[in-house]
Amino acid sequence: MEKIINVAQYIFSEYKRVTGERMDEMKLHKLLYFAQREALAITNEPLFEGEFEGWRYGPVCREIRNSITPDGMLDYDQEVSDECKYIVNNIILEYGSLASWKLSELSHREISWRNARAGLGEGENGTVKLKLSDIREDARKVRPYDHVWDMYYDEFEDEEPSL
């Protein structure tokens, strides 16, 4: 399992490489959340260690929030696995072109975020952690898409054993 700080650095760097633009902090948090949800949808295992809080603009990881500098992410040189890169690259292709506020709106539809916000007013910054079990529930409604093969996972035919 990856460390969330390494996944965040990879998202930050890869997004800049692909788009030529530096992403803002809100987009980073949302892409991290969607990467975790996607990993659960595909592998049924979390992609990284780390927790999100139910802030008013969507899931936020305090560890990442504390690592942001005026120039972006701190420079972490630990590589992430090829599986992580594959999932993150698909998330960047799927959601990277959306504005931060649109990603925030999408995250507000998630069961995990809504449950962490229970009892809070619209303008309050919540600190209740999103439950992994709730993110798993969110993952059940996802239909993962493979941008390399340009098809949904459920469209792949199961490989037949050779005789």
Side-chain angles (χ1 to χ4, degrees):
M1 187 179 316
E2 308 287 343
K3 290 184 177 179
I4 193 169
I5 194 77
N6 297 330
V7 177
Q9 179 63 50
Y10 181 76
I11 290 172
F12 189 82
S13 299
E14 187 64 9
Y15 179 86
K16 187 169 186 176
R17 186 190 70 76
V18 169
T19 67
E21 299 174 3
R22 182 176 172 265
M23 78 169 66
D24 63 39
E25 184 181 350
M26 183 187 291
K27 183 175 267 193
L28 177 60
H29 288 287
K30 303 317 164 259
L31 293 179
L32 262 175
Y33 168 80
F34 289 125
Q36 183 76 306
R37 185 190 70 181
E38 189 86 357
L40 290 166
I42 295 168
T43 68
N44 201 32
E45 295 292 329
L47 182 61
F48 50 77
E49 302 169 10
E51 297 179 307
F52 295 96
E53 295 177 359
W55 284 33
R56 68 178 159 181
Y57 299 121
V60 169
C61 174
R62 189 173 297 276
E63 179 181 350
I64 299 307
R65 186 151 173 74
N66 294 336
S67 298
I68 300 289
T69 69
D71 298 325
M73 290 292 300
L74 296 176
D75 188 26
Y76 289 87
D77 59 358
Q78 292 185 312
E79 280 289 312
V80 294
S81 67
D82 288 341
E83 179 181 70
C84 177
K85 290 176 183 177
Y86 174 79
I87 290 170
V88 166
N89 291 346
N90 274 313
I91 290 299
I92 291 171
L93 290 171
E94 184 81 18
Y95 297 104
S97 64
L98 299 177
S100 299
W101 289 104
K102 180 62 177 172
L103 293 173
S104 180
E105 288 175 14
L106 291 175
S107 72
H108 289 187
R109 298 178 189 165
E110 301 292 299
I111 293 166
S112 56
W113 182 81
R114 289 188 317 221
N115 286 347
R117 299 283 304 164
L120 293 174
E122 193 174 310
E124 292 181 70
N125 267 336
T127 57
V128 173
K129 305 263 190 287
L130 277 66
K131 293 179 183 173
L132 187 59
S133 60
D134 287 343
I135 301 173
R136 281 184 195 282
E137 186 67 29
D138 291 327
R140 286 189 190 107
K141 67 178 167 71
V142 173
R143 187 177 182 209
Y145 189 79
D146 185 310
H147 288 271
V148 172
W149 293 97
D150 195 26
M151 59 195 302
Y152 290 96
Y153 275 65
D154 59 10
E155 295 175 330
F156 286 98
E157 291 183 27
D158 290 335
E159 188 175 313
E160 294 293 323
S162 50
L163 299 175

